């Protein structure tokens, strides 16, 4: 089992460019999440999907869109990248939202917007 | 306002000693509290979960306590080793959160360095 796989690992974008971060999990989890992690700010939830077909905003959703393509895949899109979106992005999954179950994280995607 | 705070950004200890990390929260009523380990350049990895009706949880050299009166969780690593050096994150799931905010709310982490 690969767990949670995110691509790309590293990306440099110019301001205004768009891109999509891809995420897939092979653990048959219902819930998936996108977090960003910034120095001094900790992990902050961008969007989550409690189950296939549903998505909801987290703490910092502005400038992002998500798609829960199927049970396995949850993508994060930056339509018009801004330097403030320079960050490390983590995709994660869990069995069930708010159940107390373990959240499994991917290895992260380092995004720099210049 | 609601906060979850890990009091120390960094903690340096000698090998063999017990490391104690603190997580405090305000204006939350956690249903669960979890601790994660994060190594540089990697995603967080789950270590322990403790429920609001549990006082203490152990796993090998790790121990977590949960005091809902003090609104605090302590994370202990006994007989610490240099391999324990990492950033440790606490996270809680609010039991009474009415908004659509997903699952875990994370602290900023404490970077533990264990010196040989």
């Amino acid at each position: 089992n690969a767990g949670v796989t995110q691509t790309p690992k590293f990306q440099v974008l110019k301001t205004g460019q768009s891109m999509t971060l891809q995420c897939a999990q092979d653990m048959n989890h219902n819930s998936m999440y996108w977090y960003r992690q910034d120095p001094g700010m900790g992990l902050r939830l961008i969007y989550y999907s409690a189950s296939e077909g549903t998505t909801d905003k987290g703490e910092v959703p502005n400038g992002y869109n998500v798609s829960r393509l199927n049970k396995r895949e949850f993508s994060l899109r930056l339509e018009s990248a801004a330097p403030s979106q320079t960050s490390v992005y983590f995709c994660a999954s869990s069995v069930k939202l708010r159940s107390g179950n373990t959240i499994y994280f991917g290895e992260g995607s380092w995004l720099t917007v210049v | 306002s609601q906060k979850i705070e890990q009091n120390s950004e960094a903690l340096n200890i000698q090998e063999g000693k017990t490391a104690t990390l603190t997580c405090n929260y305000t204006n939350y009523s956690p249903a669960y509290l979890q601790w994660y380990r994060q190594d540089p350049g990697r995603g967080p990895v789950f270590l322990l979960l403790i429920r609001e009706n549990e006082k203490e949880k152990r796993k090998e050299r790790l121990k977590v306590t949960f005091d809902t009166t003090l609104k605090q969780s302590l994370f202990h690593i006994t007989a610490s080793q240099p391999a324990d050096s990492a950033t440790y994150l606490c996270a809680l799931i609010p039991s009474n959160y009415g908004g659509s905010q997903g699952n875990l709310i994370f602290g900023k982490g404490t970077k533990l360095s264990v010196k040989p």
Side-chain angles (χ1 to χ4, degrees):
Chain A
N1 283 353
V4 179
T5 304
Q6 337 179 189
T7 56
K9 180 83 170 178
F10 300 98
Q11 183 73 49
V12 178
L13 286 179
K14 293 183 179 178
T15 297
Q17 286 185 318
S18 63
M19 78 158 296
T20 300
L21 298 175
Q22 307 286 353
C23 176
Q25 52 91 9
D26 62 3
M27 296 174 282
N28 200 35
H29 286 169
N30 291 316
S31 301
M32 296 186 73
Y33 315 83
W34 276 105
Y35 287 89
R36 61 178 287 174
Q37 188 174 39
D38 303 289
M41 298 296 292
L43 280 159
R44 293 182 292 170
L45 184 65
I46 305 171
Y47 270 94
Y48 68 99
S49 170
S51 60
E52 186 179 354
T54 69
T55 60
D56 280 289
K57 295 178 181 179
E59 181 184 355
V60 288
N62 291 345
Y64 305 96
N65 287 302
V66 290
S67 296
R68 184 73 183 266
L69 304 170
N70 48 55
K71 191 171 186 179
R72 290 187 64 248
E73 298 172 291
F74 188 39
S75 62
L76 179 72
R77 182 159 179 84
L78 287 70
E79 291 291 351
S80 179
S84 61
Q85 294 178 304
T86 294
S87 187
V88 184
Y89 292 85
F90 289 99
C91 179
S93 70
S94 69
V95 172
K96 187 178 171 184
L97 185 67
R98 294 175 63 84
S99 65
N101 289 88
T102 304
I103 282 188
Y104 294 85
F105 284 86
E107 290 298 294
S109 297
W110 273 254
L111 177 65
T112 301
V113 183
V114 297
Chain B
S1 63
Q2 295 171 312
K3 290 182 186 177
I4 176 168
E5 292 180 321
Q6 294 185 245
N7 290 1
S8 300
E9 282 193 17
L11 179 65
N12 299 312
I13 64 167
Q14 206 66 30
E15 183 176 7
K17 302 293 187 185
T18 296
T20 299
L21 285 65
T22 304
C23 179
N24 294 295
Y25 58 91
T26 54
N27 294 328
Y28 283 115
S29 296
Y32 308 89
L33 199 142
Q34 299 185 352
W35 284 87
Y36 287 77
R37 169 182 173 141
Q38 187 174 22
D39 292 287
R42 309 294 296 274
V45 175
F46 171 80
L47 295 174
L48 281 168
L49 175 152
I50 188 164
R51 293 178 170 78
E52 61 180 332
N53 60 349
E54 296 177 320
K55 297 291 185 187
E56 183 178 297
K57 201 72 143 326
R58 291 176 184 262
K59 179 182 176 182
E60 297 172 352
R61 295 185 295 111
L62 308 180
K63 184 177 84 171
V64 172
T65 62
F66 195 6
D67 189 325
T68 54
T69 301
L70 292 178
K71 297 186 183 297
Q72 181 180 81
S73 175
L74 298 179
F75 177 80
H76 307 272
I77 306 175
T78 58
S80 60
Q81 305 165 1
D84 295 325
S85 297
T87 296
Y88 292 87
L89 309 173
C90 70
L92 61 82
I93 299 173
S95 60
N96 60 352
Y97 203 99
S100 297
Q101 289 294 312
N103 203 328
L104 292 176
I105 299 166
F106 283 86
K108 295 177 183 178
T110 295
K111 184 176 182 180
L112 174 66
S113 296
V114 181
K115 305 296 183 185

